[in-house]
Amino acid sequence: MKPLSVALPLIAGLFAGVPATAAFAQSTLADPFKDARYMSGYREVAPSAVPEELQDVEALTRIRGTKRITACGDPYAFPSTEITDEARGYDVDLVKLVAGKEGWEAQFVWVNTASRGGMNRAFRTTIAKGVCDVFLGLGTGGNDGPLKKSKLTLIEPTFGVRYVLVTFDAALKSTSLAELAKNRTPTAGTYFSPTEKLLSAEGLNYESFPEARRAIQAMAEGKVAAALIPSTSLAESRRQFPARTVYVIDSYVPQDAYNWNNAWAVQQKDAELRAFLEERLSALAASGELQALLDRYGIPYFPPFKTAQAAATERK
């Protein structure tokens, strides 16, 4: 056997299956943008060797032959993908669940998606070169250009994500939006997202924070009473403040135009792998196993939404 012909710098202690040292065991609660390794766009984990006779076959044939599926993901993208002492996140767990049912090993390759070059660079240097079979932690919309450049395609979405208005104050759970606006209840949104537009449209008194995690922290510190965050960010609330119950405010109805879906990408040529993953993920959703998996992170399950982009495609 010989290894894949891709040169990958190996970062000690950061690969799946090997415990990380204290120096490297960082989580989303750390600041990746102050991590020189992360900002340099590191890529780690040399993929395991592949027998010569399986190196040029369709991905699913190779996976079945080696009994191993390899997934790429961002190491700081909790709750989707993360590396601390071990690989974790709902997408990581989903890959492990699919692999386990087939008797396969799940291997993970970590790549920075936020450094110079962004998703273009992340795709180009990993999955487009055959470093991994599937790229995790993606959403519908926003990555069309990079996906096309690297000849990738999204599989059918795994579940839906939408904005939810949340609070730690049980008394606000059933409060109407009109009351929240009238009382000038301080509310949090996030930069570079539709939250500012949505909160403004409801007449709410809001302040914007760099990310959902910071908005949740501000709510816990009493700086704001509520926050508009993606439903997946409820996992951040559970991890940051496990002793506190977070409530979804009933009166806020998410606007369909701002819903999106969680999805994975595979190479366009790997049609068999795409069909296999779609079938297995659909079965996990139908059996309730997907919902149970998300429940462990405190994330509500929504069936995939028909996004505006998907509807436009159907009309063509």
Side-chain angles (χ1 to χ4, degrees):
M1 295 192 300
K2 64 180 182 180
L4 290 174
S5 56
V6 179
L8 294 177
L10 186 64
I11 305 297
L14 268 176
F15 53 93
V18 178
T21 64
F24 293 110
Q26 297 190 49
S27 74
T28 315
L29 299 181
D31 188 351
F33 299 105
K34 293 181 180 177
D35 184 333
R37 295 173 301 110
Y38 185 78
M39 294 309 293
S40 69
Y42 74 85
R43 187 172 68 258
E44 51 81 24
V45 181
S48 300
V50 175
E52 252 185 88
E53 65 271 18
L54 293 175
Q55 290 186 9
D56 297 317
V57 300
E58 203 271 345
L60 186 57
T61 301
R62 182 178 67 253
I63 292 167
R64 285 174 167 154
T66 60
K67 297 186 182 298
R68 181 180 62 248
I69 185 169
T70 303
C72 284
D74 191 301
Y76 287 97
F78 182 84
S80 170
T81 54
E82 181 185 54
I83 179 67
T84 50
D85 54 332
E86 61 182 36
R88 67 188 68 200
Y90 56 74
D91 274 336
V92 168
D93 290 349
L94 271 176
V95 171
K96 289 180 177 179
L97 187 56
V98 170
K101 288 179 178 292
E102 300 295 323
W104 302 339
E105 172 193 0
Q107 184 179 52
F108 299 92
V109 174
W110 304 103
V111 57
N112 175 9
T113 64
S115 65
R116 185 175 181 180
M119 297 306 300
N120 271 317
R121 183 182 188 281
F123 290 155
R124 186 179 67 250
T125 58
T126 57
I127 187 170
K129 287 188 174 181
V131 173
C132 52
D133 306 304
V134 58
F135 204 106
L136 310 177
L138 303 175
T140 48
N143 286 314
D144 295 354
L147 288 166
K148 185 176 181 180
K149 285 182 180 179
S150 291
K151 298 182 179 179
L152 306 178
T153 184
L154 293 180
I155 69 170
E156 286 296 314
T158 51
F159 62 90
V161 184
R162 71 183 194 186
Y163 284 108
V164 290
L165 189 60
V166 301
T167 181
F168 286 133
D169 185 351
L172 292 180
K173 183 179 185 301
S174 300
T175 304
S176 71
L177 292 178
E179 288 177 296
L180 293 174
K182 179 180 178 181
N183 296 332
R184 302 285 295 166
T185 302
T187 306
T190 51
Y191 300 147
F192 312 117
S193 78
T195 57
E196 293 175 312
K197 179 179 180 180
L198 295 172
L199 291 170
S200 178
E202 299 291 349
L204 296 178
N205 171 34
Y206 70 90
E207 178 181 354
S208 292
F209 294 84
E211 56 188 348
R213 176 167 61 91
R214 305 285 180 86
I216 293 166
Q217 183 174 344
M219 190 169 65
E221 293 172 351
K223 295 177 181 177
V224 297
L228 186 59
I229 60 174
S231 52
T232 48
S233 292
L234 287 166
E236 286 281 10
S237 176
R238 172 174 286 193
R239 180 158 77 166
Q240 284 182 265
F241 306 100
R244 303 193 66 171
T245 301
V246 62
Y247 302 94
V248 175
I249 296 178
D250 301 327
S251 59
Y252 182 78
V253 179
Q255 296 186 28
D256 290 345
Y258 297 100
N259 296 334
W260 69 97
N261 296 311
N262 186 74
W264 301 347
V266 296
Q267 290 195 40
Q268 291 175 0
K269 65 181 182 179
D270 293 331
E272 291 181 29
L273 175 59
R274 176 180 178 176
F276 168 85
L277 290 173
E278 290 176 346
E279 179 185 343
R280 295 303 189 272
L281 292 171
S282 178
L284 292 174
S287 69
E289 291 174 273
L290 174 55
Q291 182 167 350
L293 187 156
L294 294 175
D295 282 345
R296 296 202 297 268
Y297 290 87
I299 298 171
Y301 170 76
F302 300 111
F305 298 111
K306 180 175 288 188
T307 62
Q309 181 184 19
T313 301
E314 287 183 4
R315 288 194 295 268
K316 290 181 179 179

